[in-house]
Amino acid sequence: MRTISPRAALRRAAGGFAAAGLLAAGSLALGTPAQAAGPELVIGGPAATALHPYPASGSPRKSTVEITVDNPSRNAEPGTFDGDFTVTFDLTGIVGIADAAFGETGGADCEVTGPTAVCRGHGLGPGRSTLAELGLFAADGSRIGDSGTIRATGRADGATFTAFSTEVVIGGPDLVMERLPLKQNLKPGETQPVPVTFTNNGTRAADGVLLTLMYTRGLDFIERYANCEYSEGEAGRGFPAGTTARCSVPGTYEAGATYRLAVPLSLKATEHAFHDTFVYRIDEDVPGRGAQRSAASVTAGKGAGLTLKEAATVRGVDLDPRDNQQEADFVTANFADFVAYGARARGAAGETVATTIGFRNKGPAWVGHPSSGDPVATVDFTVPEGASVTGSPAACRGVTVDGEYRESRSGAPRYVCDTSMAVRDGADFALRFQLKIDKVVTGASGAVTVRTPRLDESPKLPFDPKPGNNTALLVLNSDNAAGGPGSTTSGGVSGHGSAGPATAGGSTGGSGATSNGSTTSGAATGGSTAAGSTNGALAATGTAALPVAAGAAVALAAGGVLYATARRRPRRG
């Protein structure tokens, strides 16, 4: 499966449910496959696609339909279907309405012959993959309102397919969100107006609109309205997406007209703001959108409701969903204090001790890389003399003394552990290690340093004004640690600082380690733990392993009344 950046995930999160709602709430499965050995493969795509009308002059504009195949197995080896397959498209339903042609994207060899199209391929791994991109154009002689259906079926030895269909319609609304001239360099506590504005450039009116707004952790909106639903959630991989607001605004939004909020929203940079993203999107409000909402808890606003004149009209799909959405990035003058912590532990030769090291984000800002998805920081741990690591978190990899690649994770002299793409304010990035005492070296210590992930650029954390607390020590068998936190008994110990239960996105700890170097829970990610304090942590007082120095939703309320600010004639062609 292709990896996408968190920002792309955020865009897809905003566009996915909107497209799903606009396109009749997802793909239509027309039949249930007969029971048979092998995987049941599901052909998918949008339930409906709107085409631009055939122009009076020039070439017709293309709309692209992504056809996918979902292999429900999630196991890489046993779940792969390793056979030939054929997917056939019946195009007779769109003859005289639309013309079809396949693009180059996709994993199958596809060809259109008259009213039939055939895609042939071999092998389908677990999860969803793109079969082909089908380009559709309004046919010469078609009229606005014409519609037809494309049907797809699949065949393979050793697998069954669920059939699929998509409706093709000529014309529809085309809601275009205006990009707002928002101030993007902010200070904590600063507010600015957000006068959301959109235009219907389509061929017919939209019956009700769904305004979707998402913003990350460091942004907030003052208003919360009764006809808006708010949910807190994550965009994946521990990225705290913040809040999403979905606001249903009834009424008729005519083709050629421009609408905006009568009272702009008030966007605020909170005390936690640093690098943040705001996504705002407009779609026609269609039935079934509720089924597309996330599993996160949804609450209604308690403010006044938005009131608009309601009018009935035929619902449809957007001619160009790509222009329904805009986004803005913000940089707030703020900082985050990453404080490293170590630990003390004792053990006799041959014993194994368990200890927890890491860092905490003392804030006030959260730090995220929603554009790239790169880790925010790395914990660099040097193993104390006389000890060897027998268990480490999955977030860590063993390297040589010089930081070079090392094949085995266990027994390395040094470990580097990347955070996720975001570290929330108050997060505790706790890493639990198991160390075997090979020989007792009194007061042996290893540096625990939090730094930037890429040493070829700079180890400095550019957002941290207090580099002096970026390094701490893990000390073994110190003379003044006898009986203190982390001291061992026969058979090993788990001292103060061991990580508790983890939750992603800023309330999580490191995972426990096993004797063979694997983890007992998920990979360590930035976040707070239930039992993550390390009373025996030491501030850096000697030579550190590395020099350190100073150096991506949505709580948006869609408030206000929408009203027409301009009216234009619908564009033709």
Side-chain angles (χ1 to χ4, degrees), residues 18 21-24 48-53 61 63 144-146 169-177 198-210 251-257 259 281-286 313-324 568 570-571:
L22 286 173
L23 306 184
T49 301
L51 306 185
H52 289 272
R61 293 175 62 177
S63 294
I144 294 176
D146 288 350
V169 60
I170 305 298
D174 183 12
L175 306 181
V176 180
M177 181 67 82
F198 68 92
T199 299
N200 184 356
N201 284 339
T203 61
R204 72 155 181 83
D207 182 22
V209 291
L210 177 67
T252 299
Y253 301 90
E254 299 290 347
Y259 302 87
R281 180 180 181 88
I282 192 74
D283 294 285
E284 187 173 24
D285 196 3
V286 299
T313 186
V314 178
R315 297 179 186 268
V317 288
D318 199 292
L319 288 171
D320 190 358
R322 294 171 299 178
D323 55 18
N324 292 41
R568 301 185 314 216
R571 295 195 296 187

Side-chain angles (χ1 to χ4, degrees), residues 196-198 253 257-263 308 560-566:
V196 173
T197 304
F198 68 92
Y253 301 90
T258 297
Y259 302 87
R260 64 180 171 86
L261 292 173
V263 179
L308 288 174
V561 177
L562 290 168
Y563 65 96
T565 59

Side-chain angles (χ1 to χ4, degrees), residues 63 76 81 122 150 448 480 531:
S63 294
F81 172 68
H122 178 87
I150 298 174
V448 180
N480 61 3

Side-chain angles (χ1 to χ4, degrees), residues 79-93:
T80 297
F81 172 68
D82 190 23
D84 296 327
F85 64 88
T86 301
V87 176
T88 302
F89 298 85
D90 180 1
L91 306 178
T92 55

Side-chain angles (χ1 to χ4, degrees), residues 341-359:
Y341 60 82
R344 297 177 185 269
R346 297 182 63 81
E351 290 185 339
T352 297
V353 297
T355 188
T356 301
I357 59 176
F359 74 91

Side-chain angles (χ1 to χ4, degrees), residues 110-499:
C110 302
E111 183 180 9
V112 177
T113 305
T116 303
V118 177
C119 293
R120 295 180 175 86
H122 178 87
L124 289 167
R128 181 172 298 176
S129 56
T130 299
L131 176 71
E133 285 190 348
L134 182 62
L136 296 174
F137 310 81
D140 188 7
S142 62
R143 298 182 179 183
I144 294 176
D146 288 350
S147 64
T149 302
I150 298 174
R151 305 181 189 279
T153 56
R155 179 172 53 84
D157 291 336
T160 56
F161 280 86
T162 295
F164 163 77
S165 71
T166 183
E167 183 182 9
V168 178
V169 60
I170 305 298
D174 183 12
L175 306 181
V176 180
M177 181 67 82
E178 180 180 305
R179 186 173 185 84
L180 300 175
L182 298 173
K183 181 181 178 181
Q184 293 177 282
N185 293 308
L186 307 174
K187 296 178 180 179
E190 187 173 355
T191 62
Q192 62 178 309
V194 180
V196 173
T197 304
F198 68 92
T199 299
N200 184 356
N201 284 339
T203 61
R204 72 155 181 83
D207 182 22
V209 291
L210 177 67
L211 182 60
T212 302
L213 308 118
M214 302 166 57
Y215 60 79
T216 50
R217 166 73 174 169
L219 302 175
D220 201 358
F221 281 77
I222 299 171
E223 306 89 350
R224 291 213 166 190
Y225 289 83
N227 54 337
C228 299
E229 292 185 346
Y230 302 84
S231 60
E232 308 290 333
E234 296 178 12
R237 292 177 56 192
F239 179 62
T243 307
T244 300
R246 302 182 183 97
C247 304
S248 296
V249 188
T252 299
Y253 301 90
E254 299 290 347
T258 297
Y259 302 87
R260 64 180 171 86
L261 292 173
V263 179
L265 304 172
S266 297
L267 175 66
K268 180 181 180 180
T270 72
E271 63 176 336
H272 307 299
F274 190 50
H275 290 176
D276 290 278
T277 298
F278 167 42
V279 177
Y280 46 111
R281 180 180 181 88
I282 192 74
D283 294 285
E284 187 173 24
D285 196 3
V286 299
R289 64 182 176 83
Q292 303 302 317
R293 293 174 179 173
S294 68
S297 176
V298 175
T299 59
K302 296 182 179 180
L306 305 182
T307 57
L308 288 174
K309 182 179 179 181
E310 186 172 357
T313 186
V314 178
R315 297 179 186 268
V317 288
D318 199 292
L319 288 171
D320 190 358
R322 294 171 299 178
D323 55 18
N324 292 41
Q325 179 172 303
Q326 295 289 352
E327 66 180 75
D329 294 328
F330 300 91
V331 178
T332 302
N334 210 351
F335 66 91
D337 183 14
F338 282 16
V339 180
Y341 60 82
R344 297 177 185 269
R346 297 182 63 81
E351 290 185 339
T352 297
V353 297
T355 188
T356 301
I357 59 176
F359 74 91
R360 298 182 183 90
N361 179 8
K362 296 294 187 179
W366 80 291
V367 184
H369 294 157
S371 298
S372 65
D374 293 337
V376 169
T378 294
V379 172
D380 197 319
F381 167 47
T382 301
V383 180
E385 181 184 359
S388 58
V389 172
T390 59
S392 61
C396 302
R397 60 188 184 277
V399 297
T400 66
V401 173
D402 297 326
E404 300 298 325
Y405 172 79
R406 189 176 186 275
E407 185 172 351
S408 175
R409 187 163 68 177
S410 295
R414 181 177 166 190
Y415 288 81
V416 289
C417 313
D418 293 336
T419 70
S420 66
M421 73 187 79
V423 177
R424 189 169 178 169
D425 49 288
D428 183 349
F429 189 73
L431 301 166
R432 183 173 171 81
F433 282 85
Q434 301 246 10
L435 294 93
K436 181 180 180 182
I437 308 298
D438 298 318
K439 66 175 181 178
V440 174
V441 178
T442 302
S445 66
V448 180
T449 300
V450 55
R451 59 168 174 83
T452 56
R454 298 187 61 177
L455 283 176
D456 56 344
E457 295 177 352
S458 171
K460 301 176 182 179
L461 295 171
F463 48 81
D464 191 342
K466 301 178 181 180
N469 59 21
N470 290 159
T471 299
L473 296 176
L474 170 61
V475 180
L476 298 178
N477 292 305
S478 173
D479 280 342
N480 61 3
S487 61
T488 66
T489 58
S490 179
V493 69
S494 176
H496 272 296
S498 59

